[in-house]
Amino acid sequence: MQHKVSVIVPIYNVELYICKCIDSILNQTYDNLEIILIDDGSPDKCGKICDEYAEINSRIKVIHKKNGGLSEARNAGLKICTGEYITFVDADDYLLPNHVADLLSNIKNADICISGYCTLYDGTIQKPKYKFERKVYSDSKKIKLLEHLLLGKANNQEFPFHLMPVWKNLYKSEFLKKNNLAFISERKIYAEDFIFNLYAYYLSKSIVLIDNANIVHLINKESLSQSYRKDYFELQKCLRKTTEEFITTYLSSDLLNEYNKRLPTMLAYSLFKENRTNKNTAIANTKNILLDPYAIDILLQFKKCESGFKESIIYYFAKHHRVRCIYYFVKILSLGEPVYRIMRLRK
Protein backbone atom coordinates (compact mmCIF):
# COMPACT_ATOMS: atom_id res chain seq x y z
CA MET A 1 0.00 0.00 0.00
CA GLN A 2 1.34 3.42 -0.98
CA HIS A 3 1.80 6.00 1.77
CA LYS A 4 0.01 9.29 1.22
CA VAL A 5 2.28 12.34 1.08
CA SER A 6 0.86 15.79 1.83
CA VAL A 7 2.49 18.57 -0.19
CA ILE A 8 1.91 21.98 1.43
CA VAL A 9 2.34 25.03 -0.84
CA PRO A 10 1.93 28.55 0.64
CA ILE A 11 1.03 31.00 -2.13
CA TYR A 12 1.30 34.78 -2.25
CA ASN A 13 1.84 37.04 -5.25
CA VAL A 14 3.57 34.41 -7.42
CA GLU A 15 1.31 34.43 -10.47
CA LEU A 16 4.34 34.16 -12.79
CA TYR A 17 5.56 30.94 -11.16
CA ILE A 18 2.58 29.12 -9.67
CA CYS A 19 1.52 27.09 -12.71
CA LYS A 20 5.01 25.65 -13.19
CA CYS A 21 5.15 24.80 -9.49
CA ILE A 22 1.77 23.05 -9.41
CA ASP A 23 2.43 21.22 -12.70
CA SER A 24 5.72 19.91 -11.33
CA ILE A 25 3.92 18.48 -8.29
CA LEU A 26 1.18 16.90 -10.40
CA ASN A 27 3.84 15.33 -12.64
CA GLN A 28 5.64 13.52 -9.81
CA THR A 29 6.36 9.84 -10.50
CA TYR A 30 4.92 9.14 -7.05
CA ASP A 31 1.24 9.97 -7.37
CA ASN A 32 -0.40 9.26 -3.99
CA LEU A 33 -0.31 12.93 -3.09
CA GLU A 34 -2.52 15.32 -1.18
CA ILE A 35 -1.67 18.73 -2.62
CA ILE A 36 -2.68 21.60 -0.32
CA LEU A 37 -2.54 25.04 -1.94
CA ILE A 38 -2.86 27.90 0.55
CA ASP A 39 -3.88 31.17 -1.07
CA ASP A 40 -2.60 33.58 1.58
CA GLY A 41 -4.76 36.51 0.48
CA SER A 42 -2.76 36.87 -2.74
CA PRO A 43 -3.67 40.11 -4.58
CA ASP A 44 -3.01 38.66 -8.05
CA LYS A 45 -4.73 35.78 -9.88
CA CYS A 46 -3.14 33.02 -7.76
CA GLY A 47 -6.37 32.20 -5.91
CA LYS A 48 -8.29 31.77 -9.17
CA ILE A 49 -5.51 29.65 -10.67
CA CYS A 50 -5.55 27.36 -7.62
CA ASP A 51 -9.32 26.88 -7.91
CA GLU A 52 -9.00 26.03 -11.60
CA TYR A 53 -6.43 23.33 -10.82
CA ALA A 54 -8.62 21.92 -8.02
CA GLU A 55 -11.53 21.57 -10.46
CA ILE A 56 -9.53 19.28 -12.75
CA ASN A 57 -7.55 17.27 -10.17
CA SER A 58 -9.12 15.67 -7.08
CA ARG A 59 -5.76 15.48 -5.28
CA ILE A 60 -5.73 19.25 -4.85
CA LYS A 61 -7.26 21.07 -1.88
CA VAL A 62 -7.36 24.87 -1.79
CA ILE A 63 -7.48 27.12 1.27
CA HIS A 64 -8.31 30.80 0.77
CA LYS A 65 -7.37 32.91 3.79
CA LYS A 66 -6.62 36.44 4.83
CA ASN A 67 -2.96 37.32 4.42
CA GLY A 68 -1.03 36.26 7.49
CA GLY A 69 2.39 35.41 6.15
CA LEU A 70 4.35 32.34 5.12
CA SER A 71 4.40 30.64 8.53
CA GLU A 72 0.68 31.08 9.12
CA ALA A 73 -0.03 29.64 5.66
CA ARG A 74 2.15 26.60 6.33
CA ASN A 75 0.46 26.08 9.69
CA ALA A 76 -2.94 26.20 7.99
CA GLY A 77 -1.78 23.38 5.73
CA LEU A 78 -0.49 21.37 8.68
CA LYS A 79 -3.88 21.60 10.40
CA ILE A 80 -5.82 19.94 7.58
CA CYS A 81 -3.28 17.57 6.01
CA THR A 82 -4.05 13.84 6.19
CA GLY A 83 -0.89 12.33 4.70
CA GLU A 84 1.43 10.00 6.57
CA TYR A 85 4.29 12.16 5.34
CA ILE A 86 4.55 15.91 4.81
CA THR A 87 6.72 18.05 2.58
CA PHE A 88 6.68 21.79 1.85
CA VAL A 89 7.18 23.51 -1.48
CA ASP A 90 7.69 27.23 -2.06
CA ALA A 91 5.35 28.46 -4.80
CA ASP A 92 8.15 29.99 -6.90
CA ASP A 93 10.16 26.73 -6.88
CA TYR A 94 9.48 23.61 -8.92
CA LEU A 95 10.16 19.89 -8.53
CA LEU A 96 11.88 17.43 -10.82
CA PRO A 97 9.78 14.26 -11.40
CA ASN A 98 11.48 11.99 -8.82
CA HIS A 99 11.61 14.43 -5.90
CA VAL A 100 8.87 12.91 -3.72
CA ALA A 101 9.71 9.32 -4.72
CA ASP A 102 13.37 9.76 -3.76
CA LEU A 103 12.54 11.31 -0.38
CA LEU A 104 10.02 8.61 0.43
CA SER A 105 12.23 5.69 -0.61
CA ASN A 106 15.07 6.98 1.57
CA ILE A 107 13.27 8.04 4.76
CA LYS A 108 12.50 4.42 5.82
CA ASN A 109 12.28 4.38 9.66
CA ALA A 110 13.60 7.90 10.18
CA ASP A 111 11.44 10.89 11.13
CA ILE A 112 13.01 13.27 8.60
CA CYS A 113 14.72 12.99 5.23
CA ILE A 114 16.82 15.95 4.02
CA SER A 115 17.71 16.27 0.34
CA GLY A 116 19.95 18.48 -1.74
CA TYR A 117 18.69 21.05 -4.24
CA CYS A 118 19.48 23.01 -7.40
CA THR A 119 19.34 26.81 -7.60
CA LEU A 120 17.88 28.99 -10.33
CA TYR A 121 19.21 32.52 -10.66
CA ASP A 122 18.70 34.86 -13.59
CA GLY A 123 17.53 32.00 -15.80
CA THR A 124 20.49 29.72 -15.07
CA ILE A 125 20.12 26.43 -13.16
CA GLN A 126 23.10 25.60 -10.96
CA LYS A 127 23.33 21.89 -10.22
CA PRO A 128 25.25 20.73 -7.12
CA LYS A 129 28.60 18.97 -7.55
CA TYR A 130 28.50 16.94 -4.34
CA LYS A 131 28.00 13.16 -4.26
CA PHE A 132 27.70 10.98 -1.17
CA GLU A 133 26.02 7.83 0.07
CA ARG A 134 22.81 7.97 2.13
CA LYS A 135 23.66 9.03 5.71
CA VAL A 136 21.71 8.36 8.90
CA TYR A 137 22.04 10.57 11.98
CA SER A 138 20.77 9.41 15.36
CA ASP A 139 21.81 9.66 19.02
CA SER A 140 25.26 11.29 19.35
CA LYS A 141 25.64 11.69 15.57
CA LYS A 142 22.53 13.87 15.55
CA ILE A 143 24.31 16.41 17.78
CA LYS A 144 26.87 16.83 15.03
CA LEU A 145 24.10 17.72 12.60
CA LEU A 146 22.64 20.22 15.08
CA GLU A 147 26.04 21.81 15.59
CA HIS A 148 26.35 22.27 11.85
CA LEU A 149 22.90 23.85 11.66
CA LEU A 150 23.87 26.29 14.42
CA LEU A 151 27.47 27.03 13.50
CA GLY A 152 28.39 25.66 10.12
CA LYS A 153 28.29 26.75 6.52
CA ALA A 154 27.41 24.80 3.41
CA ASN A 155 30.04 23.33 1.11
CA ASN A 156 31.97 21.33 3.69
CA GLN A 157 32.65 17.64 3.19
CA GLU A 158 30.03 16.13 5.48
CA PHE A 159 27.26 18.72 5.06
CA PRO A 160 27.63 20.14 1.55
CA PHE A 161 24.38 22.11 1.64
CA HIS A 162 22.35 24.17 4.08
CA LEU A 163 20.18 22.29 6.58
CA MET A 164 17.89 25.21 7.44
CA PRO A 165 15.14 25.20 4.73
CA VAL A 166 12.04 23.06 5.20
CA TRP A 167 11.23 23.04 1.47
CA LYS A 168 13.61 20.18 0.70
CA ASN A 169 12.70 17.91 3.62
CA LEU A 170 10.20 15.11 4.13
CA TYR A 171 8.71 14.70 7.62
CA LYS A 172 6.69 11.94 9.22
CA SER A 173 3.29 13.47 9.94
CA GLU A 174 2.88 11.56 13.21
CA PHE A 175 6.23 12.89 14.43
CA LEU A 176 5.29 16.55 13.76
CA LYS A 177 1.87 16.17 15.39
CA LYS A 178 3.18 14.26 18.41
CA ASN A 179 5.65 17.08 19.15
CA ASN A 180 3.21 19.91 18.30
CA LEU A 181 5.69 21.37 15.83
CA ALA A 182 4.51 24.51 14.04
CA PHE A 183 6.04 27.65 12.53
CA ILE A 184 6.62 30.91 14.37
CA SER A 185 5.53 33.85 12.23
CA GLU A 186 8.27 35.40 10.08
CA ARG A 187 6.74 38.71 11.15
CA LYS A 188 7.97 37.99 14.68
CA ILE A 189 11.25 36.20 14.02
CA TYR A 190 13.81 35.88 11.24
CA ALA A 191 14.44 32.45 9.64
CA GLU A 192 11.28 30.66 10.75
CA ASP A 193 12.54 27.54 8.92
CA PHE A 194 15.61 27.52 11.16
CA ILE A 195 13.66 27.42 14.43
CA PHE A 196 11.21 24.82 13.11
CA ASN A 197 14.04 22.52 12.00
CA LEU A 198 16.12 23.18 15.10
CA TYR A 199 13.39 21.63 17.24
CA ALA A 200 12.47 19.00 14.64
CA TYR A 201 16.04 17.76 14.27
CA TYR A 202 16.56 17.67 18.03
CA LEU A 203 13.30 15.83 18.79
CA SER A 204 13.60 13.30 15.96
CA LYS A 205 14.81 9.77 16.66
CA SER A 206 16.82 9.75 13.41
CA ILE A 207 17.45 11.85 10.30
CA VAL A 208 18.44 10.76 6.81
CA LEU A 209 20.62 12.89 4.54
CA ILE A 210 20.67 12.24 0.77
CA ASP A 211 22.46 13.91 -2.13
CA ASN A 212 19.46 13.82 -4.52
CA ALA A 213 18.80 17.34 -5.83
CA ASN A 214 15.34 17.19 -7.39
CA ILE A 215 14.01 20.56 -6.33
CA VAL A 216 14.88 23.76 -8.20
CA HIS A 217 14.96 26.70 -5.79
CA LEU A 218 14.52 30.16 -7.26
CA ILE A 219 16.86 32.86 -6.00
CA ASN A 220 14.40 35.73 -6.23
CA LYS A 221 15.77 39.20 -5.55
CA GLU A 222 12.25 40.40 -4.70
CA SER A 223 11.58 37.68 -2.12
CA LEU A 224 11.31 38.21 1.63
CA SER A 225 14.81 36.83 2.26
CA GLN A 226 16.48 39.03 -0.38
CA SER A 227 14.68 42.37 0.00
CA TYR A 228 15.14 45.37 2.31
CA ARG A 229 13.46 45.00 5.70
CA LYS A 230 13.29 47.89 8.12
CA ASP A 231 12.64 45.52 11.05
CA TYR A 232 15.44 43.10 10.22
CA PHE A 233 17.50 43.78 13.36
CA GLU A 234 14.50 43.25 15.66
CA LEU A 235 13.68 39.96 13.93
CA GLN A 236 17.30 38.86 14.27
CA LYS A 237 17.31 39.72 17.96
CA CYS A 238 14.27 37.51 18.47
CA LEU A 239 15.94 34.71 16.53
CA ARG A 240 19.14 34.95 18.55
CA LYS A 241 17.33 34.99 21.89
CA THR A 242 15.11 32.04 20.92
CA THR A 243 18.14 30.06 19.73
CA GLU A 244 20.16 30.91 22.83
CA GLU A 245 17.29 29.66 24.99
CA PHE A 246 17.19 26.41 22.99
CA ILE A 247 20.96 25.82 23.32
CA THR A 248 20.90 26.62 27.04
CA THR A 249 18.01 24.20 27.62
CA TYR A 250 19.02 21.27 25.43
CA LEU A 251 22.69 21.52 24.48
CA SER A 252 25.98 22.70 26.02
CA SER A 253 27.43 25.95 27.34
CA ASP A 254 30.45 25.47 25.06
CA LEU A 255 28.16 25.41 22.04
CA LEU A 256 26.40 28.54 23.30
CA ASN A 257 29.75 30.32 23.55
CA GLU A 258 30.61 29.30 19.99
CA TYR A 259 27.20 30.40 18.75
CA ASN A 260 27.54 33.80 20.41
CA LYS A 261 30.81 34.41 18.58
CA ARG A 262 28.57 34.96 15.53
CA LEU A 263 26.92 38.01 17.14
CA PRO A 264 29.18 40.56 15.35
CA THR A 265 28.26 38.95 12.04
CA MET A 266 24.56 39.17 12.90
CA LEU A 267 24.88 42.86 13.78
CA ALA A 268 26.89 43.67 10.65
CA TYR A 269 24.49 41.85 8.37
CA SER A 270 21.51 43.53 10.03
CA LEU A 271 23.09 46.90 9.26
CA PHE A 272 23.70 45.75 5.69
CA LYS A 273 20.02 44.77 5.24
CA GLU A 274 18.65 47.92 6.84
CA ASN A 275 20.84 50.16 4.65
CA ARG A 276 19.41 48.78 1.38
CA THR A 277 17.05 51.75 1.05
CA ASN A 278 17.14 55.52 0.58
CA LYS A 279 19.82 57.54 2.38
CA ASN A 280 17.71 59.24 5.05
CA THR A 281 15.89 56.05 6.05
CA ALA A 282 19.11 54.03 6.06
CA ILE A 283 20.94 56.49 8.28
CA ALA A 284 17.98 56.67 10.68
CA ASN A 285 17.86 52.85 10.81
CA THR A 286 21.58 52.64 11.58
CA LYS A 287 21.39 55.24 14.35
CA ASN A 288 18.49 53.40 15.97
CA ILE A 289 20.30 50.07 15.84
CA LEU A 290 23.52 51.47 17.29
CA LEU A 291 21.53 52.93 20.22
CA ASP A 292 19.91 49.58 20.97
CA PRO A 293 21.25 48.01 24.22
CA TYR A 294 21.64 44.63 22.48
CA ALA A 295 23.83 46.18 19.77
CA ILE A 296 25.80 48.23 22.31
CA ASP A 297 26.55 45.06 24.28
CA ILE A 298 27.82 43.29 21.15
CA LEU A 299 30.06 46.23 20.20
CA LEU A 300 31.51 46.36 23.72
CA GLN A 301 32.03 42.60 23.92
CA PHE A 302 33.67 41.99 20.54
CA LYS A 303 36.58 44.00 19.11
CA LYS A 304 36.01 42.87 15.53
CA CYS A 305 33.96 40.65 13.27
CA GLU A 306 35.73 37.44 12.28
CA SER A 307 33.61 36.55 9.24
CA GLY A 308 33.71 37.83 5.64
CA PHE A 309 35.08 41.06 4.21
CA LYS A 310 31.68 42.77 3.91
CA GLU A 311 30.66 42.07 7.51
CA SER A 312 34.11 42.95 8.88
CA ILE A 313 34.11 46.39 7.26
CA ILE A 314 30.54 47.19 8.34
CA TYR A 315 31.30 46.07 11.90
CA TYR A 316 34.41 48.29 11.96
CA PHE A 317 32.34 51.28 10.90
CA ALA A 318 29.68 50.41 13.50
CA LYS A 319 32.32 50.10 16.21
CA HIS A 320 33.45 53.65 15.41
CA HIS A 321 29.91 54.96 14.81
CA ARG A 322 30.62 55.86 11.17
CA VAL A 323 26.96 55.86 10.20
CA ARG A 324 27.32 57.43 6.76
CA CYS A 325 30.27 55.20 5.93
CA ILE A 326 28.03 52.17 6.43
CA TYR A 327 25.43 53.58 4.04
CA TYR A 328 27.93 54.41 1.26
CA PHE A 329 29.74 51.09 1.67
CA VAL A 330 26.46 49.18 1.25
CA LYS A 331 25.65 51.28 -1.83
CA ILE A 332 29.02 50.37 -3.37
CA LEU A 333 28.45 46.68 -2.57
CA SER A 334 25.03 46.74 -4.22
CA LEU A 335 26.60 47.77 -7.56
CA GLY A 336 28.52 44.50 -7.77
CA GLU A 337 25.93 42.28 -6.11
CA PRO A 338 24.64 40.42 -9.22
CA VAL A 339 28.17 39.30 -10.09
CA TYR A 340 28.92 38.42 -6.46
CA ARG A 341 25.74 36.31 -6.17
CA ILE A 342 26.49 34.36 -9.35
CA MET A 343 30.05 33.64 -8.16
CA ARG A 344 28.69 32.42 -4.81
CA LEU A 345 26.21 30.06 -6.48
CA ARG A 346 28.97 28.54 -8.58
CA LYS A 347 31.11 27.57 -5.61
Side-chain angles (χ1 to χ4, degrees):
M1 181 180 174
Q2 281 192 322
H3 298 291
K4 185 195 291 185
V5 178
S6 296
V7 183
I8 297 173
V9 189
I11 297 165
Y12 182 80
N13 210 21
V14 284
E15 186 179 338
L16 292 175
Y17 310 102
I18 187 60
C19 289
K20 187 168 187 176
C21 176
I22 297 172
D23 287 340
S24 75
I25 300 170
L26 292 173
N27 291 329
Q28 289 295 293
T29 57
Y30 190 88
D31 62 3
N32 190 11
L33 304 177
E34 174 187 53
I35 304 166
I36 302 174
L37 308 178
I38 303 100
D39 167 26
D40 190 33
S42 188
D44 57 10
K45 295 179 182 178
C46 281
K48 182 182 177 183
I49 293 170
C50 291
D51 288 338
E52 289 172 352
Y53 271 96
E55 286 177 7
I56 60 175
N57 196 298
S58 61
R59 295 181 294 170
I60 294 176
K61 297 178 181 178
V62 180
I63 299 174
H64 297 284
K65 60 181 290 298
K66 183 179 178 181
N67 178 253
L70 176 63
S71 293
E72 189 177 291
R74 284 174 174 162
N75 288 337
L78 284 172
K79 286 179 182 176
I80 70 159
C81 68
T82 60
E84 294 160 86
Y85 294 91
I86 297 169
T87 190
F88 301 93
V89 178
D90 282 0
D92 51 2
D93 295 345
Y94 64 91
L95 311 181
L96 300 181
N98 290 325
H99 178 65
V100 173
D102 284 349
L103 285 168
L104 197 57
S105 65
N106 279 284
I107 194 168
K108 300 187 186 300
N109 294 321
D111 289 319
I112 304 169
C113 183
I114 306 171
S115 77
Y117 61 98
C118 304
T119 53
L120 175 62
Y121 180 74
D122 201 22
T124 301
I125 294 177
Q126 186 67 36
K127 296 180 180 179
K129 297 177 181 179
Y130 49 75
K131 285 287 181 184
F132 57 86
E133 296 295 319
R134 176 180 180 272
K135 301 176 182 179
V136 181
Y137 292 85
S138 57
D139 302 324
S140 60
K141 283 187 178 180
K142 202 172 62 176
I143 299 299
K144 195 173 184 181
L145 186 144
L146 282 166
E147 287 177 351
H148 177 76
L149 177 64
L150 288 162
L151 306 176
K153 294 182 179 180
N155 301 323
N156 72 23
Q157 190 171 358
E158 183 164 4
F159 302 103
F161 48 73
H162 292 289
L163 301 176
M164 181 179 77
V166 298
W167 42 255
K168 58 192 185 65
N169 294 0
L170 183 71
Y171 304 86
K172 274 190 177 176
S173 179
E174 183 183 6
F175 160 72
L176 294 184
K177 291 174 181 177
K178 177 184 175 183
N179 290 286
N180 297 312
L181 288 172
F183 293 90
I184 302 172
S185 173
E186 73 279 5
R187 297 176 181 182
K188 296 179 180 178
I189 195 169
Y190 181 72
E192 72 290 338
D193 287 33
F194 175 86
I195 295 298
F196 182 89
N197 273 335
L198 188 60
Y199 279 89
Y201 294 165
Y202 177 78
L203 293 168
S204 65
K205 64 183 179 186
S206 63
I207 302 166
V208 170
L209 200 69
I210 59 174
D211 66 0
N212 307 55
N214 292 322
I215 185 164
V216 181
H217 177 60
L218 176 68
I219 306 297
N220 184 356
K221 289 187 287 185
E222 303 305 318
S223 72
L224 196 63
S225 61
Q226 302 297 331
S227 58
Y228 159 73
R229 296 194 67 175
K230 66 177 182 178
D231 55 352
Y232 186 83
F233 179 64
E234 290 300 320
L235 296 172
Q236 276 282 1
K237 275 169 54 179
C238 186
L239 170 65
R240 302 298 300 200
K241 290 176 180 179
T242 303
T243 307
E244 287 168 10
E245 181 181 340
F246 174 88
I247 298 173
T248 301
T249 305
Y250 299 109
L251 301 173
S252 69
S253 57
D254 288 342
L255 185 57
L256 179 61
N257 291 334
E258 283 298 312
Y259 180 73
N260 282 337
K261 288 178 182 179
R262 274 71 177 170
L263 285 171
T265 302
M266 180 277 284
L267 176 58
Y269 193 68
S270 296
L271 289 165
F272 171 76
K273 290 282 284 187
E274 297 214 28
N275 271 266
R276 294 166 65 91
T277 183
N278 66 76
K279 183 178 178 180
N280 289 339
T281 303
I283 288 173
N285 289 344
T286 299
K287 287 180 178 179
N288 287 335
I289 290 171
L290 295 182
L291 289 172
D292 188 284
Y294 195 73
I296 291 171
D297 185 60
I298 293 170
L299 291 167
L300 289 172
Q301 188 177 352
F302 298 94
K303 291 183 179 180
K304 60 182 180 178
C305 177
E306 300 288 352
S307 60
F309 169 77
K310 173 179 73 179
E311 290 82 4
S312 298
I313 296 297
I314 292 174
Y315 190 79
Y316 174 84
F317 287 145
K319 187 89 172 167
H320 295 84
H321 284 255
R322 303 299 174 92
V323 174
R324 293 178 185 273
C325 289
I326 294 173
Y327 171 73
Y328 288 115
F329 181 65
V330 171
K331 288 293 286 184
I332 291 168
L333 287 174
S334 67
L335 297 176
E337 190 171 66
V339 174
Y340 169 73
R341 194 182 298 280
I342 290 170
M343 288 175 65
R344 230 176 78 180
L345 290 173
R346 288 179 176 172
K347 285 183 180 180

